[in-house]
Amino acid sequence: MKLAWLARGVHRQVSLHRRVVLGGAAAFCMLALLLGGARLGLLTATRWGAFIGQNVHVIVYLAEDVDPDRANGLAELLRRMPTVAHITSVEPTQALARLEKSAAALGAEALALADLEASYFPRSLEIGLRPASDLSQQASDLAKHLRGVPGVVQVDAMSEGLTRLSVWVRLGRRLGVAVLLTFGALTLGMLLELLLHSRSATRQRAAVLTQLGETTSGIRLPAMLWMAATALTGGGVGALFLTLGWRPLIGRLETSLGIASASPLPRLGLREIAAGLAFTLVVGLALGFFATPLPRPDDHA
Amino acid sequence: MVVEAVTLGVASGELIVVEGPAASGKSTLLEVAAVARVPDAGAVWFAGRKLSTLQRASLPYVRRNIGYCTTYPLLIPEDSVLANVMLALAVRGEAPPTAERLAREALALVAIGDLAGRTVMSLSSGQKRLVALARAIAGPPPVVIADEPGATSGDLALQTVVHALAVARDHGAAVLCATANSMLAHELVVIGGRRIHLAQGRIAGAPAIGLVPPAPQAPYDSEPSEIESAVARLVPLAVDDSDLPTSLPATKEPR
């Protein structure tokens, strides 16, 4: 019997205060987007960081008389340096194969490269540095040291590209924080507005119910229930949007930025979705609790 | 206005009219009786229980047994008339179909059955008073308290109010009504109500009333412990508890 009245109370709220309910659902959707977006943003940043980490920052071209054993010895020495993350030894045949592949990707005819021989290409070492804020400077310093090493004919530090990359990374980070803060402030504002609207909408009803002898929990329960339902609906929509929309969005962005990674694009797991929905539910219940202003209780005790 | 030196009891099936000029303490007396105001001194008894011994959380269970119609009706403006009346029955735990039936009966009793579907905000102040009265008598509850139920009403509405209160009384409710309208007071006395004059917060020319409530009547026989009696006592501010009449029920432990 109590359930029937509760259902009526929730239905009444939804039908009488549609705008408040819709605003509430939008606020909870924003909250879900904020939480899920922050999580996915972190995963994406890690993925991009790994991609940047795999990049080659310094290329060392070796002299013709440097045989593979000597090249491997040099690579082993460089690998011991703390700033070096990885080293790849590129043989002349591999270098030719790469060129042919790149040329084919650009639409060049195979015939144009037919006369090229692997011996035209020098043996080289490709060095990737550990992620750091002064990557460009580190690459320049390493290149400077390597230029004096016997057997090294040329060193390319890729400093210009690295400087540009670090600027983009810094900008991206700041942009991410700004978007997060703006989104957070907007969500907070919407939730506060929902709370204030609900308080003004339920004030009179709470006073009437108090006079009629309803208990405090009985007065608060309908608001808590409809707010919880709104939180779950809004949160669910937000989670669905992130689940369906994030991967295509990041995929397109990576394609346009030329980022190619073998690892799968990030997505929210079931546990993360469940935890997010549970959080929005708790926020909804708390808002519902405070959304019902009770008249000052009489003290007969 | 301070109510002073007033001891008043009302039993099931009884109608008491508190008559007095404006600012004589009628509304304060009714607020205290309706558990809407805490008296500075004295005590309120309800169904054999002294309310000051109850826990605060128990007070709503007392209030829901009182149909209280205030001078300025406290209604939910955006809800329909029917929903407003049904709300009191919902709080008392009636099933929705029963609540709707009882609410419609109460609305018909105060002659506004045709307004059931209208929202309260679209009504005149006189109609709102009738809605509040219908909500107070719907059921009816064990106690009906009406503060100026006939205010801003015409002769016809006055007769409706008198009839509605009489029906509530006849169904076993203890009815306590306050009015400054001598015509309404007279009409209520004509149908068997007991008149009490209140002036400057004191009962004028009437002894304190102590009552032993009669047995409960339908439709409340399902919950005899709650509605066995309905006694509200306001003891004089200047009088100690030892001066209370010995016929008062013994104090029970809070639930």
Side-chain angles (χ1 to χ4, degrees):
Chain A
M1 189 152 50
K2 195 79 181 169
L3 274 177
W5 285 114
L6 268 177
R8 275 175 172 247
V10 173
H11 178 259
R12 170 196 174 275
Q13 173 66 32
V14 174
S15 52
L16 271 180
H17 303 284
R18 279 195 192 124
R19 286 178 69 181
V20 177
V21 172
L22 281 176
F28 284 109
C29 182
M30 292 276 280
L31 183 66
L33 287 175
L34 180 73
L35 294 172
R39 172 71 184 144
L40 285 173
L42 208 66
L43 289 173
T44 307
T46 308
R47 169 189 166 85
W48 287 355
F51 173 76
I52 291 168
Q54 285 168 3
N55 272 4
V56 175
H57 305 125
V58 179
I59 300 176
V60 182
Y61 296 100
L62 303 173
E64 276 183 36
D65 58 343
V66 175
D67 57 25
D69 287 345
R70 208 172 142 203
N72 287 341
L74 183 61
E76 195 54 42
L77 278 173
L78 287 169
R79 201 168 279 129
R80 288 178 196 166
M81 293 180 74
T83 53
V84 173
H86 58 84
I87 293 179
T88 312
S89 180
V90 181
E91 293 298 313
T93 48
Q94 286 175 298
L96 177 62
R98 279 188 190 176
L99 181 67
E100 285 171 345
K101 194 176 172 185
S102 301
L106 290 170
E109 289 181 17
L111 204 61
L113 301 173
D115 294 339
L116 278 178
E117 290 178 17
S119 58
Y120 292 167
F121 295 89
R123 182 173 282 113
S124 62
L125 295 174
E126 291 180 349
I127 304 171
L129 300 177
R130 292 188 192 285
S133 56
D134 57 343
L135 210 57
S136 170
Q137 187 59 45
Q138 280 189 20
S140 294
D141 290 347
L142 182 63
K144 208 165 145 187
H145 285 296
L146 288 171
R147 280 191 187 111
V149 174
V152 172
V153 289
Q154 195 183 331
V155 181
D156 192 347
M158 315 260 176
S159 53
E160 195 186 327
L162 283 172
T163 307
R164 211 181 305 147
L165 186 68
S166 68
V167 167
W168 277 110
V169 167
R170 254 200 313 260
L171 186 71
R173 197 173 292 161
R174 282 181 189 168
L175 210 66
V177 170
V179 166
L180 215 64
L181 285 177
T182 310
F183 221 69
L186 201 64
T187 307
L188 193 67
M190 286 178 79
L191 288 174
L192 278 175
E193 196 188 352
L194 171 69
L195 180 67
L196 293 176
H197 262 98
S198 306
R199 278 181 77 85
S200 68
T202 53
R203 192 181 300 275
Q204 180 80 354
R205 187 177 169 83
V208 170
L209 283 169
T210 302
Q211 190 194 74
L212 294 177
E214 185 55 278
T215 55
T216 307
S217 57
I219 295 170
R220 284 195 162 130
L221 205 54
M224 287 174 74
L225 279 181
W226 82 255
M227 203 75 96
T230 306
L232 276 181
T233 309
V237 169
L240 193 70
F241 182 80
L242 284 173
T243 305
L244 296 178
W246 187 267
R247 290 182 111 177
L249 182 77
I250 296 301
R252 280 186 188 178
L253 195 65
E254 287 191 352
T255 307
S256 64
L257 290 173
I259 298 172
S261 178
S263 62
L265 288 162
R267 62 183 296 179
L268 289 175
L270 275 178
R271 275 188 183 182
E272 288 166 323
I273 291 174
L277 286 179
F279 181 75
T280 51
L281 182 67
V282 168
V283 173
L285 286 171
L287 277 182
F289 183 85
F290 292 111
T292 314
L294 296 179
R296 202 169 59 82
D298 291 324
D299 189 4
H300 278 255
Chain B
M1 181 66 196
V2 177
V3 178
E4 202 175 2
V6 173
T7 300
L8 176 68
V10 55
S12 296
E14 189 183 22
L15 195 159
I16 289 183
V17 193
V18 180
E19 189 190 3
S24 60
K26 301 186 300 295
S27 293
T28 307
L29 178 68
L30 262 55
E31 280 174 13
V32 172
V35 204
R37 178 191 281 256
V38 186
D40 294 330
V44 178
W45 294 75
F46 185 89
R49 288 184 180 168
K50 190 178 181 183
L51 297 190
S52 58
T53 65
L54 297 181
Q55 291 177 352
R56 184 185 291 173
S58 300
L59 294 180
Y61 298 98
V62 177
R63 286 195 194 107
R64 67 181 57 171
N65 286 292
I66 301 170
Y68 182 31
C69 172
T70 51
T71 318
Y72 300 101
L74 192 57
L75 300 164
I76 304 171
E78 67 268 25
D79 275 2
S80 70
V81 166
L82 184 66
N84 267 277
V85 179
M86 281 174 72
L87 202 57
L89 297 151
V91 171
R92 274 180 240 151
E94 297 287 0
T98 312
E100 186 172 343
R101 180 178 56 78
L102 291 174
R104 286 191 187 280
E105 283 175 10
L107 286 169
L109 207 57
V110 295
I112 53 167
D114 54 330
L115 301 179
R118 294 259 300 269
T119 57
V120 167
M121 66 175 84
S122 68
L123 303 181
S124 68
S125 60
Q127 288 171 327
K128 283 177 188 169
R129 281 173 189 277
L130 289 175
V131 174
L133 182 63
R135 190 180 63 189
I137 62 165
V143 177
V144 173
I145 296 176
D147 193 358
E148 296 289 2
T152 69
S153 302
D155 288 349
L156 191 63
L158 216 60
Q159 286 303 320
T160 305
V161 169
V162 170
H163 176 64
L165 292 177
V167 169
R169 190 256 332 255
D170 295 344
H171 276 81
V175 181
L176 186 59
C177 173
T179 182
N181 184 338
S182 54
M183 191 185 291
L184 175 62
H186 173 73
E187 292 293 333
L188 289 170
V189 169
V190 166
I191 60 158
R194 188 157 13 165
R195 188 183 342 219
I196 289 170
H197 288 279
L198 202 67
Q200 295 183 334
R202 289 169 179 269
I203 292 179
I209 303 158
L211 295 164
V212 179
Q217 299 178 25
Y220 299 104
D221 51 355
S222 57
E223 293 178 348
S225 62
E226 285 293 326
I227 52 91
E228 186 180 358
S229 62
V231 177
R233 287 183 183 277
L234 310 173
V235 299
L237 292 169
V239 179
D240 293 334
D241 281 354
S242 57
D243 292 336
L244 285 169
T246 51
S247 61
L248 279 172
T251 305
K252 290 180 183 175
E253 289 301 311
R255 280 192 292 182

